[in-house]
Amino acid sequence: MRIGRTVQHAPAVDIDGIQADFSPCHTWRYGLSLPFRERRGPMITVFLKNPSSASASAADKTVRTASEYVWRNFPESGGVHILNLYALRGTDSQEVGQALREKGDTYVIGPENDAVIQQTLAGSAAVIIAWGGHAGIPATPYAERVRSCLEMLADSRLPVWRNGRKGSENYPFHACYWAYQDDLVAVS
């Protein structure tokens, strides 16, 4: 899998406090927790499609945008958790889709992903879904994975939002393209 370029974490992020949950082989990234500097409070989870290059030492464009958005729009938050539908790391969703076709859903989802999702949700105050459409990933397994993750979100009983500018409840606008002033709408 090709892993794209990195950028610096957002200035609001406490670099020393970042926790990245990778598999030992770094094939899968299950979670990324980014606490904010000089802020304590509940964590907001942003739920994306699949991880790319972000780690404890550097962000990618999507993680940087999501953490900046939460910092600016949730002044009571202590930081942001990043989760993904699929834990397989890859910048190009075409490659993730190819891995799904060749190795199956279980491989691309990642052996620990659902457990980490449930644990992270238990420690979150709210969730913003931002995984976008299936581009690059076969539509039917993608829709099934979205359904499964929406069920986990419903079971968590947390408030769930999505970007109100574009997208839908099943295919919310991807966080990479958010503007900091975008409004959120509740997901029913």
Side-chain angles (χ1 to χ4, degrees), residues 44-48 81 83-85 114 116-122 124-131 145-162 168-172 187-188:
I44 304 294
T45 293
V46 177
F47 209 139
L48 302 166
H81 293 304
L83 294 175
N84 292 279
L85 298 173
D114 285 357
V116 170
I117 288 169
Q118 291 168 348
Q119 285 176 314
T120 303
L121 294 176
S124 297
V127 180
I128 306 169
I129 58 173
W131 49 67
R145 181 63 181 155
V146 165
R147 182 192 48 75
S148 173
C149 289
L150 287 171
E151 286 175 6
M152 282 189 265
L153 288 169
D155 290 346
S156 77
R157 298 180 179 250
L158 291 169
V160 179
W161 296 299
R162 67 175 181 83
S168 66
E169 290 188 12
N170 286 346
Y171 304 108
V187 173
S188 54

Side-chain angles (χ1 to χ4, degrees), residues 88-154:
L88 182 67
R89 293 176 71 215
T91 299
D92 185 345
S93 60
Q94 295 283 345
E95 291 178 348
V96 175
Q98 186 63 34
L100 188 145
R101 286 187 286 282
E102 292 174 1
K103 298 182 179 186
D105 284 351
T106 302
Y107 178 81
V108 177
I109 290 169
E112 304 296 323
N113 201 25
D114 285 357
V116 170
I117 288 169
Q118 291 168 348
Q119 285 176 314
T120 303
L121 294 176
S124 297
V127 180
I128 306 169
I129 58 173
W131 49 67
H134 69 87
I137 298 174
T140 299
Y142 190 76
E144 290 170 7
R145 181 63 181 155
V146 165
R147 182 192 48 75
S148 173
C149 289
L150 287 171
E151 286 175 6
M152 282 189 265
L153 288 169

Side-chain angles (χ1 to χ4, degrees), residues 6 18-20 26 38-39 51-52 60 72 74 83 114 121 124 133 142 147-149 175 177 187:
T6 60
I18 296 173
Q19 294 179 348
H26 278 240
E38 302 172 14
R39 256 201 211 172
S52 179
D60 56 33
R72 292 170 186 233
F74 291 86
L83 294 175
D114 285 357
L121 294 176
S124 297
Y142 190 76
R147 182 192 48 75
S148 173
C149 289
Y177 307 109
V187 173

Side-chain angles (χ1 to χ4, degrees), residues 19-32:
Q19 294 179 348
D21 186 4
F22 285 94
S23 63
C25 60
H26 278 240
T27 300
W28 299 278
R29 191 191 76 212
Y30 299 112
L32 188 62

